[in-house]
Amino acid sequence: MSSKGFSPIISEYHILWEALKHYESRLEKLSSMETDEDKQLAYDEKLQDLDGVLSSIKAAAKSDFDLEFE
């Protein structure tokens, strides 16, 4: 992340992580409650994309500040 011009500080990593984990939880709930298969697929695709973003943030936080997120 930081290699693309965005260099968050430690507190910003924590805010991003917490916000994205909350969004992930919300998407999981919406997906599980959805009866329309197309909408459920859309939620699942967003969850898959979000997993990549979380992985990137986790790696950048580890590299920049030796932070560990779970």
Side-chain angles (χ1 to χ4, degrees):
M1 271 188 113
S2 58
S3 66
K4 298 198 192 276
F6 179 61
S7 299
I9 59 174
I10 292 173
S11 63
E12 292 170 334
Y13 274 118
H14 285 284
I15 290 167
L16 281 170
W17 188 260
E18 187 176 318
L20 291 173
K21 292 302 280 183
H22 178 74
Y23 182 53
E24 179 183 48
S25 174
R26 180 74 176 142
L27 285 174
E28 287 171 346
K29 182 177 180 181
L30 289 170
S31 177
S32 70
M33 292 173 36
E34 187 57 62
T35 56
D36 182 313
E37 284 187 34
D38 290 334
K39 288 182 182 178
Q40 186 177 22
L41 181 60
Y43 289 133
D44 291 343
E45 287 175 354
K46 286 181 183 182
L47 279 166
Q48 194 171 26
D49 292 342
L50 184 57
D51 187 49
V53 172
L54 287 168
S55 293
S56 294
I57 289 173
K58 188 175 186 176
K62 178 72 173 163
S63 173
D64 291 350
F65 297 105
D66 202 29
L67 292 175
E68 302 267 346
F69 289 113
E70 294 299 320

